[in-house]
Amino acid sequence: MSSGGARKAAAAAGGRVGAARTVAPWIVACSLLLCASSVLFQEQRILMFLHVRISGAEGAIGVNYGMIANNLPSPDKVIAMYKANNIKYVRLFHPDTTVLAALQGTGIGVVLGTLNEDLAQLASDESFAASWVASYVKPFAGTVTFRYITAGNEVIPGDLGVHVLPAIRNLEAAIRAVGVTGVPVTTAVATSVLGASYPPSQGAFSEGAAPVMVPLVAHLLSKNAPLLVNVYPYFAYAAEPETVQLGYALLAGSSATSNSKVVSITDGGLVYTNMFDAIVDAAHAAVEKAGAQGLELVVSETGWPSGGGATGATVENAAAYNNNVVRHVAAGTGTPRRPGKAVETYLFAMFNENQKPEGTEQHFGLFQPDMTAVYPVDFAGSY
């Protein structure tokens, strides 16, 4: 695919192309409460060499493979990087047969997304859904390890949201028709689906999102499919740096090299020492209030920019955040609301992407396009 085509496809897929991120009101409320805390913390001392353990299905870390750039390595080289770094999962924002071919026989778990612009036709036209599956799933089903198919990315709430569940149903039917089993169909949502609710136990879907989300989560639960959620403490911190404690946003309490005392909040007996868990558990609470008790959540995106000139966007903070997330996830401790239930998590993203808008959006990558690390990462190491 040409660089222009890649940009168009990724943009249509809802891949992060620089649209303004809204911070859920409950997160702002959380930050205000944290500001009032009397607990102080020291600056975290960063160990620049990340020691990351990539484990099995639960507690595993994947990496999003964004392609909004004109200088990325070829897909075969990129997938070789995943293998060399022992990265077990990859998320693709849109179907690309060259990438899928490179993934054949690797055993890397694949989250495959549809273009947002295809949602309406996938929802209304069963033959189009069948053609999509015939093009991107059936030819690779025997050699590519599909984890999930995602119908759209971050379209709820919004005009395209009503198409998500019908598209999921049509894709499910098309997958069954070609004899492929064990590949759940779902969608990925941003925290904008949450209304103004705090603390995390009061998480609920917003009035704008609920009409779509309530039947959606009920369907996902009935199919034993997870809901994918994009979780970004960075945007909450960048929006309110004077009120959000940096250590709380960075999961400083998960660092093996920090002597910091990090703020914590207590919610009905549950103690939160980082914003990542608080966001995930607010989504858990919203799902439960919608009647889908027990629905699994997967963190389909999380990350921190290493540059771009914005508040908190530094190599040290990005290294700290990603390192701490991986330690936290790989430990398998879960969240306060779901203790012991490891959260499958996908870092954003594999590369810095030069065709995104200037600023932080170009600096979420773990690697430069020349395949050198933005900061040292040892995915095969211990933590």
Side-chain angles (χ1 to χ4, degrees), residues 1-381:
M1 179 180 293
S2 68
S3 60
R7 179 178 175 83
K8 178 180 178 182
R16 299 170 40 75
V17 294
R21 287 275 169 166
T22 58
V23 180
W26 78 269
I27 295 176
V28 175
C30 173
S31 68
L32 292 174
L33 180 106
L34 290 172
C35 180
S37 172
S38 61
V39 183
L40 300 177
F41 66 97
Q42 304 170 16
E43 284 294 323
Q44 182 180 13
R45 291 183 294 179
I46 306 301
L47 178 65
M48 288 302 295
F49 288 91
L50 303 185
H51 297 293
V52 179
R53 176 182 297 169
I54 305 299
S55 58
E58 290 194 351
I61 294 288
V63 180
N64 286 265
Y65 178 8
M67 304 179 195
I68 308 178
N70 61 6
N71 58 352
L72 297 182
S74 61
D76 61 323
K77 291 180 179 178
V78 174
I79 301 309
M81 290 177 67
Y82 275 76
K83 292 171 62 180
N85 286 285
N86 199 30
I87 302 171
K88 299 299 186 183
Y89 299 147
V90 60
R91 180 181 175 217
L92 305 176
F93 289 99
H94 65 282
D96 185 310
T97 54
T98 304
V99 177
L100 290 171
L103 283 161
Q104 289 180 306
T106 63
I108 295 171
V110 179
V111 180
L112 178 62
T114 72
L115 293 167
N116 284 349
E117 67 185 15
D118 286 343
L119 279 173
Q121 193 170 2
L122 286 168
S124 63
D125 187 346
E126 294 177 359
S127 64
F128 182 74
S131 175
W132 194 96
V133 168
S135 297
Y136 305 120
V137 178
K138 183 180 178 181
F140 303 98
T143 54
V144 171
T145 306
F146 289 110
R147 287 194 63 72
Y148 320 113
I149 304 297
T150 58
N153 182 56
E154 296 191 343
V155 299
I156 306 169
D159 293 342
L160 291 176
V162 295
H163 301 302
V164 170
L165 184 52
I168 287 174
R169 289 183 171 132
N170 282 345
L171 287 167
E172 288 171 341
I175 291 170
R176 286 195 304 270
V178 297
V180 174
T181 59
V183 183
V185 186
T186 181
T187 193
V189 299
T191 54
S192 55
V193 298
L194 299 177
S197 57
Y198 177 82
S201 62
Q202 297 303 306
F205 294 126
S206 68
E207 290 184 3
V212 172
M213 291 302 301
V214 171
L216 171 63
V217 296
H219 178 83
L220 295 177
L221 183 64
S222 73
K223 299 295 184 179
N224 198 29
L227 175 67
L228 275 56
V229 183
N230 297 338
V231 174
Y232 282 99
Y234 169 73
F235 290 106
Y237 173 74
E240 299 283 348
E242 68 282 0
T243 60
V244 178
Q245 297 276 11
L246 179 60
Y248 188 77
L250 290 175
L251 291 85
S254 298
S255 172
T257 62
S258 174
N259 295 322
S260 302
K261 290 183 178 179
V262 180
V263 297
S264 63
I265 61 171
T266 301
D267 176 15
L270 302 179
V271 178
Y272 290 87
T273 60
N274 64 78
M275 187 175 284
F276 179 91
D277 282 352
I279 295 173
V280 173
D281 274 358
H284 278 138
V287 164
E288 291 163 11
K289 287 184 178 65
Q293 179 77 33
L295 178 66
E296 181 181 358
L297 300 184
V298 169
V299 175
S300 41
E301 294 179 34
T302 195
W304 196 286
S306 62
T311 299
T314 68
V315 169
E316 289 179 338
N317 286 343
Y321 181 79
N322 286 313
N323 185 26
N324 292 339
V325 165
V326 173
R327 283 198 185 96
H328 185 55
V329 170
T333 54
T335 66
R337 196 175 185 91
R338 299 269 181 98
K341 174 61 177 174
V343 182
E344 184 179 330
T345 299
Y346 293 75
L347 299 181
F348 189 90
M350 193 66 170
F351 296 103
N352 285 337
E353 298 169 65
N354 69 347
Q355 290 188 315
K356 290 187 173 182
E358 292 185 3
T360 58
E361 291 291 332
Q362 294 188 3
H363 295 276
F364 274 85
L366 302 177
F367 294 92
Q368 300 286 6
D370 65 3
M371 299 189 291
T372 60
V374 176
Y375 37 85
V377 179
D378 180 9
F379 286 102

